[in-house]
């Protein structure tokens, strides 16, 4: 599975690829905080690297799941020289005002928001087969972008259109300090297809290996 993941061609549209893109870019003593719901699953699948050993990975279940992610991440930022947070748009909106903490206490963090305009996890679940009420009950699109949020709290903002720019922006953000908000725009449904295609390639590789062995 690891071999299949590492042979992927990096695409900014594939949400999990953010972990592949940054895995070798994190300096020693980095705290990597990972949000719910797809982010932590993508981290488990894609954050494979022997060179990522000096990275402490954090996650927080919150009281209900997606709450308090930015607040918790800012708390852990006190324990590390460098800090990165990767989370979904709904989680980011839910705990947006945590950025006031960062501003008040001059905390540093590169925040990568994977904006698929709603809850991406639900597209993987059976309710996605019921289009009539799906978007209003589960997808919950909001149509918001995060530049205004960054401006409100005095964070540096960048829309990220490519993997190369993501890698550059992460390195720059970590070097400069302060809060850097990087927004990646993705789409929920194509992301499900490409993740399922990855699973198929992994199954294929395993069965090839088994029949060769
Ligand atoms: C406080 C709270 N409200 C609602 C939920 C239900 N819930 C679980 S996952 C999810 C969607 C999360 O969306 P996002 O943060 O954008 O991440 P993605 O699923 O796209 O990775 C929601 C609303 C929850 N777990 N916790």
């Amino acid at each position: 599975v690891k071999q299949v993941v590492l042979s992927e061609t990096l695409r900014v549209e594939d949400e999990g690829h953010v972990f592949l893109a940054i895995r070798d870019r994190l300096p020693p003593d980095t705290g990597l905080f990972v949000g719910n719901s797809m982010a932590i699953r993508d981290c488990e699948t894609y954050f494979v690297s022997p060179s990522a050993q000096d990275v402490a990975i954090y996650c927080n279940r919150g009281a209900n799941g997606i709450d308090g992610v930015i607040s918790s991440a800012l708390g852990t930022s006190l324990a590390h020289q460098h800090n990165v947070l990767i989370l979904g748009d709904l989680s980011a909106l839910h705990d947006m005002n945590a950025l006031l903490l960062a501003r008040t206490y001059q905390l540093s963090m590169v925040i990568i928001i994977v904006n698929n305009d709603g809850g991406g996890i639900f597209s993987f679940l059976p309710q996605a087969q019921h289009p009539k009420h799906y978007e209003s009950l589960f997808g919950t699109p909001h149509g918001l972008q995060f530049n205004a949020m960054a401006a409100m709290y005095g964070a540096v903002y960048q829309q990220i259109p490519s993997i190369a720019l993501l890698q550059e922006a992460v390195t720059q953000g970590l070097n400069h300090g302060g809060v850097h908000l990087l927004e990646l725009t993705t789409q929920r449904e194509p992301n499900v297809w490409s993740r399922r295609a990855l699973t198929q390639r992994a199954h294929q590789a395993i069965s090839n290996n088994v029949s060769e062995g």
Side-chain angles (χ1 to χ4, degrees):
V1 175
K2 187 173 168 180
Q3 271 170 13
V4 172
V5 166
L6 289 176
S7 68
E8 291 279 278
T9 306
L10 291 186
R11 286 162 20 106
V12 78
E13 300 86 355
D14 285 344
E15 296 183 1
H17 285 191
V18 64
F19 289 94
L20 272 173
I22 66 160
R23 68 188 218 286
D24 285 329
R25 310 281 163 147
L26 303 180
D29 193 16
T30 295
L32 174 62
F33 203 104
V34 187
N36 309 297
S37 296
M38 285 313 296
I40 191 64
R41 290 168 173 82
D42 286 339
C43 179
E44 212 172 29
T45 307
Y46 291 97
F47 195 68
V48 280
S49 172
S51 61
Q53 276 162 356
D54 196 22
V55 173
I57 300 179
Y58 297 95
C59 185
N60 177 20
R61 187 57 199 154
N64 282 302
I66 64 163
D67 48 318
V69 176
I70 303 178
S71 304
S72 306
L74 289 171
T76 62
S77 78
L78 299 176
H80 298 282
Q81 202 182 343
H82 306 285
N83 295 282
V84 176
L85 164 63
I86 301 176
L87 82 171
D89 48 292
L90 293 188
S91 309
L93 290 171
H94 202 286
D95 197 25
M96 173 170 96
N97 198 43
L99 292 183
L100 186 55
L101 270 179
R103 188 180 153 101
T104 307
Y105 296 103
Q106 288 156 13
L107 305 176
S108 289
M109 179 153 293
V110 173
I111 301 178
I112 303 174
I113 299 179
V114 179
N115 186 359
N116 54 25
D117 197 19
I121 179 98
F122 302 120
S123 301
F124 290 86
L125 302 179
Q127 57 264 47
Q129 308 312 317
H130 300 276
K132 192 168 171 207
H133 300 295
Y134 179 78
E135 281 298 298
S136 61
L137 293 179
F138 295 101
T140 59
H142 46 75
L144 301 174
Q145 283 197 319
F146 288 84
N147 47 347
M149 167 173 148
M152 184 170 168
Y153 293 98
V156 176
Y157 171 84
Q158 219 174 322
Q159 171 75 42
I160 302 293
S162 72
I163 291 286
L165 273 176
L166 171 66
Q167 293 170 327
E168 200 182 304
V170 167
T171 302
Q172 262 180 18
L174 291 175
N175 288 342
H176 283 181
V179 174
H180 290 249
L181 209 158
L182 314 181
E183 177 173 8
L184 272 84
T185 306
T186 62
Q187 289 185 305
R188 288 182 256 130
E189 229 180 299
N191 189 58
V192 174
W193 305 331
S194 60
R195 216 173 188 289
R196 291 200 170 133
L198 172 76
T199 308
Q200 270 187 347
R201 284 198 291 281
H203 283 175
Q204 191 59 52
I206 290 166
S207 57
N208 288 350
N209 248 307
V210 169
S211 50
E212 278 166 22

